[in-house]
Amino acid sequence: MKTIHAKINGIAVEVPAGTTILEAAKKAQVRIPTLCKHPDLKPTAACGLCIVKLKGNPRTFRACTTPIDEGMEVITHDDELVSTRKTVLELILSNHPADCQTCGRNGSCELQKLSADFAMREERIPRHVCDLPKDASTGSIIIDYAKCIKCGRCVQVCQEVQNVWALSFLERGIDTRMAPSGDISLAESPCVRCGQCSAHCPTGAIVENDDTALVWKALHDPNKFCTVQIAPAVRVAIGEEFGLEPGTNLTRKIYAVLRRMGFKAVFDTNFSADLTIMEESAEFVHRFANNGVLPLITTCCPSWVDFMEKYHTDLIPNFSTAKSPQQMMGVMTKTYYAQKQGLDPAKIYQVSIMPCTAKKFELERDTNMQASGYPDVDLSITTREFARMIKQSGIDFLRLDDEEADSILGEYTGAGTIFGATGGVMEAALRTAYYKITGENMPKEAIDIQSVRGLKGVREAEINVDGTKVRVAVAHGLANVEYVMDKVRKARDNGEPLPYHFIEVMACPGGCIGGGGQPYGVTDDIREKRIAGLYQDDRDCKLRFSHENPEVKQAYAEFLGEPLSEKAHHLLHTHYVERPMYQR
Amino acid sequence: MTTPTDIIKQSPEDKEKIRTRIQKYVDRWRGVEGNLIMILHDIQEAEGYVPREWSMELAKALDINLGRIYEVLTFYTYFNLKPCGKHAIHVCTGTACHIKGSAKLIDELKTRFGFVVGETTPDRLYSLNEVRCLGACGLAPVARVNHEILAKATPESLVEKIESLEKVNV
Ligand code: SF4
Ligand code: SF4
Ligand code: SF4
Ligand code: FES
C-alpha cells in the first residue's frame, strides 16, 4: 500500500494511505480530543471537537474523518483551535443537564472528562435541556434522553454491530434525536438488552439499571440466606475498576470480598458452565448420532436467544434447550444445595454477578426460569455495579487474602472458565463431545482448539473426532450471525449437506468479556487482554474437561442422574417461542 | 380513517387489505431509486398520514427495518404520523415570530379551544402544529390556517379565523 509522508505539528510521520489525521497524529505522540469517535466504530463526525488546520488552508477539518494526504502539514493545537474546541464544548454543555453527582457515569463520562481537561469553569450560555422522560421500560438499561449528545454511537452499534435496529435517529438538524423504533418504549422495540449501546455511549444517556441497593437490602435481611455466583468474564475485567491491567484474574479475591460482604455461600458460574457443557454436549452427541436436528446452536446468551426468537424463528428447533449457566446455578442452589444443607429454598436469595445487562432480563424471560418453584436467580448485577458495591463496602479489595468458593457448586475446570470468551463454549463443548464420542480425552496438544479462538467476526473450523469431521462455526456481534444462519438455510432449502454441525453465538463483540455490563472503555486491545486472562486461567486449571469436574460428577451421582435425564430436563432445560419484533 | 388505537385491534382481513395495497405501491415503484419515499408518499396521499401499521407491513414487504422507515418519515416534515384534523393550523415559532409573540397565539388556542400542540381534537376537526419557519418573517407573527397565511396575527384575529371555518363549511 502507498505510504503517505506528512507532518503533524512539524513532526514527520509516515502512515499507510487512507489513515485519518486522528490516527496519524498518534504516531507523532499527539492526542487530538474526540467525543463522538469510538475506536470500535466508524466516525460520525458529529461533535466537532477534533477539528484541525492544514497549513495554507483557511478552513478547519475534522481529524476523525479526514484522511491524511501526501505532504500535508497538520496543525492540531493553536490558540484558535483550542478556543473553538472550548466553544464547541460549551455549546454541548448548554444542552446537557448539570447533575454529574447523581449520574450513572459520574467518574467515567467522556464529556465530564473533557470538561475537566478544558477547565470549563463558567456557564456563559444559558442551559436548555430537553425534557423528555427517561425510558426505564426494559429493566436492563435506562435511557436518559436529556443526557444524549447525539454522537450516534449507540445507533451505529445497535444497527450495524448488532443488526437489531432498536435505535435510530428521528427528525433532523437541531431537532435530531435518538429514539427506539419510531418513538415507542425500548421494551416494546426489538431491543435484545445486550447493553452494547450503554457500553459505547460517552455519557450517562444510556446506563445499566443499578440494582445495588436491592443487593444490600437482601444482604441485611436476617430472613434471607444470600448466595451468589460470579460469571467467567467478570474475574478478568473487574480489576480495571481498581486500576489493574485488563485480564488480571481476581477470582479468589472476588470470593473473599463476597464473603466479607455477607454472602453465606459463594458459588462460581464456571461450575454451572461445566454443567451446561454436560447437558449441551450430551444433546449434541445425541442429535449427531441419531440424525437429529442439526446444526445445534448454543443458547447461553440471552440477547442471542431473544434475537433468534424475534428474527430467526425458523431455526428454533436447532436451539439447544440447555439453560444458561446463570439459570442452571440458580436452580441447582434452590434444589440440590438446599436439600444437601437442609435449607428452606424459599429463604434462599441468589444474586448473580454478570458482565451483562441482558442477564437481568433473562431472570424473568419465561416460567422455566422458576423450575425450582422459586425464581432460579433473584437478582442479577453487572460487573460495574459489583465494582460500585465493593467501593461502597469499604473493603480493601485488592489486599484481601485469596479464598476458595463454597463447595458443591464452586469447583470449576478450565473448560468452564473460557465460556466468557467468544469461541469458549464451542471449545469446551468439543472437548467433552470428543470424550463422549470416542471414550477418550483429546490428546494433550489438541486441547487448545486454536481454530475457534480469536476476534474474527465468524470463525469456521473442522474438528477431527476419531475420523469423523465435525464442522463448527463461531459468531459474535449479532450482525455476524446473518452469514452463518443464511448458509444453514441455503443448505437446508437446497437439500445440500450441512455446512455446520454445531454453532456458537454470543451477542457481544468478543463474547461476554466484552459484555454490555463490563467496565467502560473497551477496545479490541482490551478484549484481547481479557480473553488472554481467561485462557491463562484455563491453562492454570488442573482439570480442563467439564466431564472431569468432581462436583459436577457428584451432582449427577447424587441428584440429577444422567445428562438429559428427566430431572435434568425439568430443571436445566427450557424451550423457545416466536416473539413479536415490535409490541406496538 | 382509523385512529392509532383502532390499528392495534385490526382484524386479519384488514391487515390483508393493507398488505395488498402496499404491494400495489411496492410494485409501482419497483427498481426505482428512492422508492421508499415514493411509496410513503403514496400511502400518505391515500390515507392522509402514514399509520404505524402500514409502516410495519411496508418494512416486511421491502425487507427493511422499521427504524429505517421512521428515519425517513421523521426526516421530512411533509409526512404525518398521526391523522390530521379537517383543518390544519400551523403557528410559526421561528425566531422572528417567537420574538413577535407566537407563544401568545398558541396559549390562546390552548385556553380558548383546548388545542394541544401536535395533536388533533377528538372531533377530528382541528390539528395544531408548530413550524420552525414559514418563510414569511417580515409578516411575523405568522400562522397558517389550512392554506391561508395569516400575517401579523393576533390572538383575536386567529380565533376569529378559526371560528369562521366551520360556519363557512356548514
Ligand atoms: S441493548 Fe442492544 S439491542 Fe437494545 S438498544 Fe442497546 S444495542 Fe440495541
Ligand atoms: S445515547 Fe449516548 S451513544 Fe447514543 S447518541 Fe446519545 S450520547 Fe451518543
Ligand atoms: S454475549 Fe455475554 S454479556 Fe453479551 S449479551 Fe450475551 S451473555 Fe450477555
Ligand atoms: S471526534 Fe471528530 S467530529 Fe467528533
Side-chain angles (χ1 to χ4, degrees), chain A residues 152 167 187 252:
Chain A
L167 302 178
R252 288 179 173 75

Side-chain angles (χ1 to χ4, degrees), chain A residues 187 224 237 305 411 466 558 572:
Chain A
K224 285 202 169 98
V305 168
E411 177 129 9
D466 204 18
E558 290 180 0
L572 308 181

Side-chain angles (χ1 to χ4, degrees), chain A residues 159 165 168-172 175 181-182 184 311 582 584, chain B residues 8 52 56 65-68 70-71 74-77 132:
Chain A
Q159 296 185 351
W165 283 77
S168 53
F169 274 125
L170 296 184
E171 314 202 31
R172 64 171 157 180
D175 295 324
S181 308
I184 51 178
Y311 288 83
Y582 301 95
R584 198 142 74 83
Chain B
I8 294 167
R52 189 169 177 92
M56 282 185 164
N65 288 289
L66 187 66
R68 175 80 195 111
Y70 273 93
E71 283 173 356
T74 58
F75 191 85
Y76 301 99
T77 41
R132 281 248 168 242

Side-chain angles (χ1 to χ4, degrees), chain A residues 88-304:
Chain A
V88 168
L89 208 46
E90 271 187 293
L91 284 166
I92 296 172
L93 290 178
S94 74
N95 287 320
H96 198 87
D99 60 0
C100 293
Q101 298 85 345
T102 51
C103 178
R105 289 299 295 273
N106 191 4
S108 66
C109 170
E110 295 174 37
L111 180 61
Q112 192 186 43
K113 183 172 183 305
L114 278 170
S115 307
D117 293 351
F118 276 82
M120 306 304 278
R121 291 290 180 273
E122 19 176 347
E123 227 178 283
R124 289 188 305 170
I125 310 171
R127 260 177 223 261
H128 175 80
V129 179
C130 102
D131 55 2
L132 285 171
K134 289 187 190 179
D135 183 337
S137 59
T138 64
S140 289
I141 52 175
I142 296 177
I143 306 182
D144 185 349
Y145 294 104
K147 292 189 176 152
C148 176
I149 57 163
K150 302 165 191 184
C151 69
R153 291 185 189 176
C154 60
V155 173
Q156 196 183 134
V157 165
C158 193
Q159 296 185 351
E160 289 173 32
V161 180
Q162 300 298 59
N163 197 23
V164 175
W165 283 77
L167 302 178
S168 53
F169 274 125
L170 296 184
E171 314 202 31
R172 64 171 157 180
I174 189 167
D175 295 324
T176 306
R177 64 201 166 83
M178 177 277 286
S181 308
D183 266 338
I184 51 178
S185 75
L186 195 59
E188 294 165 329
S189 83
C191 171
V192 298
R193 281 84 165 160
C194 68
Q196 284 303 315
C197 49
S198 74
H200 286 83
C201 179
T203 72
I206 312 184
V207 293
E208 73 283 350
N209 185 11
D210 187 298
D211 284 316
T212 53
L214 292 176
V215 185
W216 288 121
K217 197 167 155 227
L219 280 169
H220 298 148
D221 182 342
N223 293 317
K224 285 202 169 98
F225 184 92
C226 287
T227 60
V228 65
Q229 54 167 312
I230 131 118
V234 176
R235 67 202 67 213
V236 288
I238 187 136
E240 292 161 41
E241 295 274 359
F242 298 87
L244 300 183
E245 263 294 289
T248 312
N249 185 349
L250 293 175
T251 307
R252 288 179 173 75
K253 300 222 184 299
I254 295 173
Y255 297 155
V257 80
L258 288 169
R259 230 170 247 129
R260 281 249 196 139
M261 281 177 174
F263 284 102
K264 300 232 170 56
V266 177
F267 302 133
D268 199 317
T269 316
N270 284 359
F271 163 89
S272 46
D274 280 333
L275 190 60
T276 303
I277 287 301
M278 295 302 285
E279 294 295 324
E280 208 164 74
S281 63
E283 209 181 350
F284 175 69
V285 171
H286 180 80
R287 291 194 194 191
F288 195 71
N290 298 296
N291 270 324
V293 183
L294 285 175
L296 183 71
I297 304 175
T298 62
T299 49
C300 322
C301 168
S303 291
W304 160 232

Side-chain angles (χ1 to χ4, degrees), chain A residues 301-303 356 359 506-508 512 515:
Chain A
C301 168
S303 291
C356 181
K359 289 283 168 188
M506 291 289 158
C508 295
C512 303

Side-chain angles (χ1 to χ4, degrees), chain B residues 12 16 20 24-25 42 44 65 68-69 88 93 97 109 144 157 165 168:
Chain B
E16 202 38 59
T20 325
K24 208 180 78 197
Y25 300 140
D42 282 354
Q44 168 139 322
N65 288 289
R68 175 80 195 111
I69 295 185
T93 54
C97 291
L109 298 184
R144 189 175 63 198
S157 69
L165 289 170
V168 174

